Amino acid sequence: MMNDHNVKRILESIISTSNNNITVTDEKGFILFTNPNHWWIYGIEPDHYLGKSVYQLETEGILSPSISAMVLKEKTPVQIMQHTKTGKIVMSTAYPIFDDDGELIRVVSYTQDQTEIRKLQDQYGQLEKKVQEYQSEVEELREQEELIYRSKEMRQIAKTILRVSKTDATVMLLGESGVGKSVFARRLHDQSYRRKEPFIEVNCSTIPESLFESEMFGYEAGSFTGAQKHGKEGLIEQADNGTLFLDEIGELPLDMQVKLLNVLQEKTFKRVGGKKEHKIDFRLVTATNQNLEEMVEKGAFRLDLYYRLNVIPVQIPPLRERKEDIAILINHNLEIINKKYNTNKKLHPSTYEILIHHKWSGNVRELENLIERLILTSEDSNIFPGFLAAQLHGQDSFGNQDDTLMLDQMLVDDSDLKTALEQVEKWMLMKASKQCKSTYEMAKSLGISQPSVVRKMKKYKGQVT
């Protein structure tokens, strides 16, 4: 058997060779064993703590606080973070040791320097913050890519949508049919904290007035003849915790306007034929191509509801007023639709030029539909202006069938780009000069400036009559 002296030597050897700061105190807190090489983190020399108690070191501010003193008081294991005079952060863990009679006779503590780990954690936190900032920038770029725009106007609208999507403010999207109001409504939802909840889109112009209330609010079983046996959940109820998008809000019947206003004010509703008040929580987004202020003046739309809806109005300009977006939309839709139908059709440069200057009264929706129609109905892989004009027969922008034949004669398959564009330019100037009374009207019709019209007319003097 080993004697007490050998046990002491082994214990001291274990403590002195440990990578951790190990300290053993007696029941009064006096330090019995420790490894002096680790006390540098406390900023003191070995002779400063030898023979002293942890209470004295705590009073001097060297141990702040003393974990051994805490164990002596609580008589249970303790783990804390300490801040030393040298600016170090250490994690200390201490355990009580009891004799056979249950009396506390020793405290063993272990200390690890956490300063570098904390620095790494801080650096990681800063890096994570940077990543989040980059992710926000990427989201904004991805938003631009998904919405397909290049113009300053659309860029500003996208920023506004991104900003207000983080709130629950009611947004009213304004603009002509086909400008993309529903796309922005969906984007509002996808960027909000409600993104994982339902997005319910309701076109107010497509629901018969007689069915509007039951469709919007639902109904209880047996409410009317033909009702479902167990009742039906309404569209408002389906939007609970999510987003309710009311498109064509100007078509909302007056009696439904009153009920919608009550829902917005009280945050509750009743099903048709029901007595129970249902609590509801949704974000409301509306859209219209009508002038609601004029409708209010005519008594066709409630003023109080208008104020409720018109919190953040967002005006989306028509495609003809943001010509920078036309080219990118044409290219995007060509790519998407070719991929959809496994085709590889292209626009002849002169066809492309005509589309760039088209008025697009139907906005983005018209452009999407036209590109799809051209790809599906064209037999040739290269779509020429004559085929385009045939597809748009009857529209003022492109003239009649005789014009189509004339344009076909002007353009040949092996025409170089410059020649083809000049032929189309002359043709369009000729059509505009016949239909318009002045160069100002021609400029408006062609979508270019009046000086440009004058300059081009001089360029083709004698060829455009």
Side-chain angles (χ1 to χ4, degrees), residues 148-161:
I148 315 301
Y149 61 84
R150 184 178 287 157
S151 62
K152 293 186 296 183
E153 297 88 348
M154 293 298 283
R155 186 179 300 115
Q156 186 57 48
I157 291 173
K159 287 182 179 179
T160 300
I161 293 295

Side-chain angles (χ1 to χ4, degrees), residues 184-238:
F184 278 111
R186 169 64 74 170
R187 185 55 45 199
L188 264 172
H189 174 75
D190 290 343
Q191 292 176 333
S192 73
Y193 70 91
R194 298 177 184 267
R195 64 177 68 88
K196 295 182 180 179
E197 302 298 334
F199 175 82
I200 304 299
E201 181 173 353
V202 182
N203 191 319
C204 299
S205 65
T206 61
I207 303 176
E209 187 170 348
S210 58
L211 299 177
F212 216 105
E213 184 174 6
S214 61
E215 288 294 317
M216 290 296 291
F217 294 97
Y219 53 81
E220 298 292 352
S223 299
F224 51 86
T225 303
Q228 293 183 16
K229 183 179 180 181
H230 301 292
K232 183 181 178 182
E233 189 180 63
L235 295 168
I236 287 179
E237 196 170 350
Q238 293 175 31

